[in-house]
């Protein structure tokens, strides 16, 4: 167990993933606010991303389970959104839909890497 004065050692890769997770959460919350309707699932996933970012940064025991849950939820959300983008814009792929497609692929790659890192380094959290 760690003492109160001991700080966990966070690797640069984990720190970059944590910051990326935080930025993904912020961007989901901004998207929710700017939407014409209120997509509450974006607020939920965005808040989970922000909380996961904090937990991974401080390397707490609960952060492992939260990162695992958030990664799985984000991968499901990303794959559904990616399928919808491909289905809706299969005829004409303009700049906006191309950027959305690239962003969703990057989003899914981020959470796939986070999931793999968390699973293979679970000893640091538990």
């Amino acid at each position: 167990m760690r003492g109160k004065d001991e700080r966990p050692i966070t690797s640069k890769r984990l720190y970059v993933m944590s910051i990326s997770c935080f930025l993904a959460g912020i961007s989901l919350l901004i998207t929710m606010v700017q939407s014409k309707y209120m997509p509450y699932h974006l607020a939920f996933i965005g808040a989970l991303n922000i909380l996961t970012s904090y937990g991974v940064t401080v390397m707490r025991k609960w952060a492992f389970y939260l990162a695992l849950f958030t990664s799985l939820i984000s991968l499901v959300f990303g794959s559904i959104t990616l399928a919808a983008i491909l289905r809706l814009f299969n005829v004409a792929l303009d700049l906006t839909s191309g950027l959305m497609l690239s962003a969703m692929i990057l989003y899914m790659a981020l959470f796939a890497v986070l999931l793999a890192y968390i699973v293979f380094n679970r000893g640091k959290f538990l």
Side-chain angles (χ1 to χ4, degrees):
M1 300 221 27
R2 291 185 283 245
K4 294 222 182 234
D5 56 347
E6 279 186 49
R7 294 192 54 173
I9 299 170
T10 305
S11 68
K12 287 183 182 181
R13 278 181 255 163
L14 189 59
Y15 187 71
V16 168
M17 283 189 276
S18 176
I19 295 297
S20 300
C21 192
F22 179 77
L23 292 176
I26 294 295
S27 65
L28 285 174
L29 290 176
I30 289 172
T31 303
M32 183 209 62
V33 170
Q34 292 184 349
S35 181
K36 292 179 184 176
Y37 64 97
M38 193 57 81
Y40 294 110
H41 64 285
L42 291 181
F44 176 69
I45 296 171
L48 277 178
N49 287 342
I50 292 170
L51 187 61
T52 300
S53 172
Y54 170 73
V56 166
T57 302
V58 296
M59 304 280 288
R60 299 291 183 214
K61 184 177 182 178
W62 53 266
F64 170 76
Y65 299 109
L66 184 64
L68 192 68
F69 177 72
T70 303
S71 294
L72 293 174
I73 292 289
S74 293
L75 286 172
V76 169
F77 168 72
S79 61
I80 290 171
T81 305
L82 188 62
I85 290 171
L86 291 174
R87 183 144 171 102
L88 288 174
F89 299 114
N90 63 355
V91 176
L93 191 62
D94 58 345
L95 181 64
T96 305
S97 58
L99 287 174
M100 284 178 21
L101 184 66
S102 300
M104 285 314 298
I105 290 171
L106 183 64
Y107 179 81
M108 289 179 59
L110 164 72
F111 282 100
V113 168
L114 180 65
L115 180 63
Y117 187 86
I118 293 295
V119 167
F120 289 125
N121 295 308
R122 65 181 170 262
K124 293 181 181 180
F125 292 93
L126 300 177

